[in-house]
Amino acid sequence: MRNIVLLMLCFLQQFLFARELLVETEQFQNKGGWIVESQFINQMGSPYLLAHGLGRPVADAKTKITIEKGRYHVWVRTKDWAPFPQGPGRFRVSVGGYVLPVEFGCSGTVGWHWEYGGVINIIEKEVELLLHDLTGFEGRCDAIFFSENRNVCLPTDLSEWKKYRKKFWPSADCTVAEGMFDFIVVGGGVAGICAAVQAARLGIKVALINNRPVLGGNNSSEYRIPMDGDVFRNKYPTLGRIVREVDGNKLDIKDSISYRYRDEWKKRVVQNERNIHLFENMHVVGAVVKNGKICSIEALNLNTLKMHSFQARFFADCTGDADLGRLAGADCRYGRECRSETGERWAPERADELVMGSSCHWYAQLSKDISEFQEQPWMLLFSDEYHFDLFQSRFNWETGFNSFHTVNDAEEIRDHNFRAIYGNWAYLKTHKSEEYGKYKLAYLANFAGKRESYRLMGDVVLCQQDIEQKVEYPDAIVTTTWGIDLHYPDDVNLRHFPDEGFLSYAIHPLKQKDVYTFPYRCLYSRNIDNLFMAGRNISVTHVALGAIRVQRCTGMMGEVVGLAAFICCKNDCTPRNIYTHYWDEMEKMIKVEFK
């Protein structure tokens, strides 16, 4: 009896203390042709590796891992991104030269999940871990888990998974304190750059936190959205000078893409400011708020997975999705307001969650040889009756609207763009080979450029009547020249693809002819006392957003917010106090050229 008890205790000890190892793929030493995908952290918890090969398998990703010798069960966290009926993102995993007997990424299971890969005997303490792409069609791998225990229960719920992962991070309980700043700007798009540069040139200490390795947001080589709007018709002629300095519309096709969008130049402008501390690949995940003010924020380093904390007197949310504002509990809106609330003639009778969509740019190039691009069941299937004779994308290739939530379903929106673009291209290559046979799909952005998501509410909520009736606010400051430009689902497209639409039409009657200067009070939060905002997340209705969302306009918002942050620091006041007590100082400063 005693021996039986001892055996049971030994078994229980082995079960409870089984050796385990979690490998995060974004930390692979050699990523080969796989790319680090980090734009969906809020949705699925972490960056992951993506095999974005336009239908051509990418080079293997490899890394060395150190693990105790023994017999391990292996799981892979992945996603079948197009299970219709079985997705295309197939890949293999090998450990120490042994290829696991499972093709991952094609299980038919919806959403991120763990797939069991089998058991393996590890006979060396250091082995090579390898991801081998099989299709070039967006295979994705987030993590690989080793355990001696076959019955381990790996969480699929995002909140539980975040907690579970922490025990494998050596730095999970060690937050790096980055210190105190006068002004923290979250988001390194055009608005964020201009806000940081303006404030720094006025002498205050600035942190610019960006969750990408490239500055510019939509106007970068990653998203490739040209700047629109005008900076030469402002109420205040000096406004827009930083926008002009960083402007990313170099159109010489002979130059590299990064040069055309001035990636390096934008970074140089920021790095030349001695008062700016640039934090790249940092995603803000938490905010501490006391008495209606943000005291500190936390950001996850996407390369090291360490947490970093930042303190500041004032903050600016330039994220586009209002990430910081929502974390801090700022009042916000999503979707369309009803007509009875706003009085807008373009507002619907009932409020809803329809927003403008997101786009992935693509183009094809002529080559010497004929190539194939086969139609597959997971693609959207086109016909002789309905297809698009295009060699490149147009503005109206757009997914989202009210079929998807532009933030919560961001990955699904991007993936649906893939299905539509690949499907139409496969139709052209298969059924119109005489015209398209020698063309190859040369570029397809894995980044979806958003037009609309959450908006943070300020003391003034700009609406359609303000713009159309040219309402003159006493604090009118940023001039938009775009007119109200709104996009809605294309009815013909929806008839052919019910609930799967990917095309829009635009309502834009006064494009580039409607000039209006809107108020400063749209640029700070009405309930978080030290929070500014600049970009498409400012205080406007859905309809009014159509006039202010283009990037030269958002850049001028950033310049104003940077100036306002300086005045707040100087006078120890709130953003609201600038309008109530320091507007004369604001006007005086904005009328002069800063050096």
Side-chain angles (χ1 to χ4, degrees):
M1 183 70 179
R2 183 183 176 189
N3 289 337
I4 294 174
V5 172
L6 287 172
L7 285 171
M8 290 180 66
L9 287 172
C10 289
F11 174 79
L12 185 62
Q13 183 180 28
Q14 184 180 22
F15 182 83
L16 291 174
F17 301 102
R19 288 176 292 191
E20 296 177 336
L21 176 68
L22 176 67
V23 180
E24 300 276 4
T25 59
E26 66 270 24
Q27 295 187 312
F28 267 40
Q29 296 150 348
N30 178 0
K31 297 176 180 63
W34 297 65
I35 59 177
V36 177
E37 177 58 272
S38 62
Q39 60 185 318
F40 309 117
I41 293 172
N42 290 345
Q43 191 177 355
M44 56 78 62
S46 65
Y48 61 86
L49 287 189
L50 178 73
H52 184 52
L54 308 185
R56 298 180 288 274
V58 305
D60 296 342
K62 305 174 185 178
T63 197
K64 294 283 187 180
I65 61 171
T66 301
I67 187 170
E68 294 295 326
K69 298 176 184 179
R71 187 172 183 267
Y72 291 87
H73 299 272
V74 185
W75 289 262
V76 173
R77 189 170 189 242
T78 185
K79 182 179 186 179
D80 185 344
W81 66 272
F84 309 108
Q86 186 181 62
R90 297 181 290 112
F91 64 95
R92 292 274 197 180
V93 175
S94 72
V95 185
Y98 173 75
V99 180
L100 297 179
V102 176
E103 284 191 0
F104 296 99
C106 56
S107 66
T109 303
V110 176
W112 282 94
H113 62 280
W114 289 98
E115 291 185 18
Y116 180 64
V119 65
I120 185 171
N121 287 311
I122 292 180
I123 59 175
E124 296 180 2
K125 201 166 184 178
E126 185 178 81
V127 296
E128 183 178 69
L129 189 57
L130 182 146
L131 300 181
H132 178 65
D133 176 35
L134 297 172
T135 67
F137 281 123
E138 280 65 56
R140 53 200 73 182
C141 182
D142 172 48
I144 302 169
F145 186 76
F146 297 83
S147 178
E148 292 179 316
N149 175 17
R150 173 65 177 89
N151 297 314
V152 67
C153 184
L154 293 168
T156 55
D157 176 76
L158 179 57
S159 60
E160 292 301 316
W161 171 232
K162 286 181 178 179
K163 294 176 186 176
Y164 193 86
R165 292 168 75 218
K166 284 186 177 180
K167 71 178 185 177
F168 297 99
W169 298 355
S171 58
D173 297 321
C174 181
T175 300
V176 180
E178 297 292 353
M180 183 74 183
F181 296 86
D182 295 312
F183 183 43
I184 291 178
V185 179
V186 180
V190 173
I193 292 170
C194 292
V197 170
Q198 176 74 289
R201 288 179 179 175
L202 291 169
I204 65 176
K205 184 180 179 183
V206 180
L208 175 58
I209 303 173
N210 190 37
N211 63 1
R212 299 295 309 154
V214 174
L215 292 169
N218 278 353
N219 183 241
S220 70
S221 62
E222 293 185 324
Y223 292 87
R224 305 191 185 185
I225 309 296
M227 281 199 189
D228 274 314
D230 195 351
V231 293
F232 295 105
R233 286 186 277 178
N234 301 314
K235 177 179 179 180
Y236 299 100
T238 59
L239 195 62
R241 63 196 176 281
I242 300 175
V243 178
R244 295 192 293 273
E245 188 176 341
V246 302
D247 203 338
N249 273 10
K250 293 286 185 180
L251 300 178
D252 187 351
I253 196 67
K254 298 177 182 178
D255 297 320
S256 68
I257 294 298
S258 63
Y259 178 79
R260 287 165 59 197
Y261 286 91
R262 306 193 83 184
D263 291 347
E264 295 85 357
W265 174 252
K266 290 184 178 79
K267 183 171 289 190
R268 190 183 308 167
V269 169
V270 168
Q271 291 177 330
N272 282 344
E273 297 299 328
R274 59 185 178 86
N275 290 324
I276 295 181
H277 300 257
L278 175 62
F279 296 89
E280 298 178 292
N281 295 300
M282 294 269 197
H283 186 74
V284 173
V285 295
V288 177
V289 178
K290 294 181 181 178
N291 300 321
K293 288 187 175 183
I294 302 173
C295 302
S296 64
I297 60 175
E298 283 193 328
L300 176 67
N301 186 312
L302 305 181
N303 292 330
T304 66
L305 301 183
K306 289 183 179 180
M307 296 297 295
H308 295 246
S309 66
F310 302 80
Q311 295 176 287
R313 298 170 65 187
F314 299 95
F315 297 82
D317 188 329
C318 302
T319 63
D321 285 340
D323 286 341
L324 176 57
R326 288 185 292 124
L327 286 169
D331 291 343
C332 65
R333 289 182 182 176
Y334 180 91
R336 299 191 293 180
E337 298 86 351
C338 64
R339 191 174 305 158
S340 61
E341 177 188 353
T342 66
E344 297 169 313
R345 60 190 180 92
W346 287 0
E349 290 187 7
R350 294 184 179 180
D352 58 31
E353 291 202 338
L354 187 145
V355 297
M356 287 179 280
S358 305
S359 298
C360 298
H361 281 320
W362 63 271
Y363 61 82
Q365 288 180 336
L366 185 63
S367 62
K368 294 180 180 180
D369 302 316
I370 293 176
S371 60
E372 294 183 348
F373 198 91
Q374 297 181 350
E375 294 174 303
Q376 299 187 40
W378 56 268
M379 299 175 180
L380 294 189
L381 299 180
F382 292 78
S383 65
D384 292 347
E385 177 189 0
Y386 191 77
H387 63 272
F388 300 90
D389 284 295
L390 296 172
F391 295 98
Q392 64 182 32
S393 57
R394 294 179 179 170
F395 83 91
N396 62 333
W397 281 60
E398 183 175 349
T399 297
F401 301 107
N402 55 350
S403 300
F404 300 90
H405 190 286
T406 194
V407 175
N408 300 339
D409 301 323
E411 188 176 25
E412 286 74 18
I413 290 172
R414 191 276 308 271
D415 291 346
H416 192 67
N417 282 336
F418 285 163
R419 292 182 63 215
I421 293 163
Y422 283 138
N424 189 70
W425 186 246
Y427 173 84
L428 297 177
K429 293 285 288 184
T430 303
H431 300 280
K432 293 194 166 186
S433 57
E434 287 188 8
E435 185 177 355
Y436 291 91
K438 289 188 177 181
Y439 279 87
K440 283 188 176 181
L441 193 59
Y443 172 76
L444 168 55
N446 65 294
F447 296 95
K450 295 178 183 177
R451 291 174 175 82
E452 179 180 4
S453 57
Y454 288 95
R455 289 161 280 124
L456 300 172
M457 297 296 98
D459 284 345
V460 171
V461 181
L462 196 72
C463 64
Q464 181 178 3
Q465 302 94 297
D466 294 323
I467 299 168
E468 291 185 334
Q469 297 172 17
K470 301 293 185 290
V471 175
E472 294 186 20
Y473 285 94
D475 55 332
I477 195 164
V478 179
T479 300
T480 174
T481 61
W482 193 244
I484 297 175
D485 176 10
L486 297 170
H487 296 192
Y488 295 105
D490 180 84
D491 290 338
V492 175
N493 183 247
L494 287 177
R495 284 202 298 271
H496 287 276
F497 294 100
D499 300 320
E500 293 188 317
F502 58 88
L503 221 63
S504 70
Y505 71 92
I507 297 177
H508 198 172
L510 298 171
K511 184 175 181 179
Q512 296 176 331
K513 294 180 181 179
D514 199 5
V515 177
Y516 177 68
T517 304
F518 58 90
Y520 162 77
R521 283 172 289 168
C522 295
L523 302 178
Y524 62 84
S525 169
R526 68 188 182 191
N527 68 308
I528 301 296
D529 289 341
N530 61 344
L531 178 63
F532 294 97
M533 53 268 192
R536 56 182 165 83
N537 58 353
I538 69 166
S539 183
V540 295
T541 65
H542 162 82
V543 176
L545 176 67
I548 60 89
R549 63 186 177 82
V550 294
Q551 288 176 318
R552 290 194 179 96
C553 183
T554 64
M556 289 187 288
M557 296 178 206
E559 292 183 30
V560 170
V561 163
L563 171 57
F566 165 76
I567 295 174
C568 285
C569 288
K570 175 187 173 185
N571 297 291
D572 193 22
C573 69
T574 68
R576 179 178 288 114
N577 292 153
I578 290 180
Y579 173 68
T580 59
H581 293 85
Y582 298 100
W583 190 248
D584 288 344
E585 182 177 350
M586 182 74 153
E587 281 196 307
K588 181 179 178 180
M589 291 193 68
I590 207 166
K591 289 177 180 178
V592 302
E593 282 284 354
F594 300 108
K595 296 183 180 179

